[in-house]
Amino acid sequence: EALVCFDRVIQLDGDNVISWFNKGFSLIRLQRHEEALVCFDRVTQLDGNKFEAWYNKGELLKHKEQNDEAETCFAKVKELEGE
């Protein structure tokens, strides 16, 4: 049900960072990791300072054994936390 709501908001406002983030988080909980990764990609494109999105993206990439890409995300998290 929540996914339907997030999709509706995204349909109306494709740049809504909160809806993209929450949709991604919901998809993680549903074990739909590929779809979640798309959401967190979008969040980081819209708001490169949202360290939670970088962290979740890193965890998803690590789960896929894409360790170099995951480390890039985790480095971004450390950079943003240092600000």
Side-chain angles (χ1 to χ4, degrees), residues 3-80:
L3 289 175
V4 172
C5 293
F6 297 136
D7 283 338
R8 178 76 176 133
V9 172
I10 290 167
Q11 206 172 30
L12 296 171
D13 178 10
D15 293 340
N16 188 300
V17 173
I18 294 169
S19 292
W20 278 108
F21 183 87
N22 289 336
K23 180 180 178 181
F25 193 75
S26 296
L27 288 165
I28 287 173
R29 297 189 74 165
L30 294 170
Q31 302 293 311
R32 292 165 58 182
H33 297 152
E34 289 296 325
E35 293 169 86
L37 186 56
V38 170
C39 293
F40 292 118
D41 263 342
R42 184 70 176 135
V43 173
T44 58
Q45 291 168 1
L46 294 170
D47 181 358
N49 294 321
K50 191 152 182 69
F51 74 89
E52 300 95 335
W54 285 106
Y55 177 81
N56 288 332
K57 183 177 174 179
E59 285 295 322
L60 289 166
L61 290 167
K62 187 169 74 171
H63 179 75
K64 291 177 58 171
E65 297 183 4
Q66 294 180 355
N67 296 324
D68 290 341
E69 294 92 338
E71 283 305 316
T72 300
C73 293
F74 295 137
K76 184 69 174 176
V77 170
K78 286 182 184 178
E79 173 190 322
L80 292 170

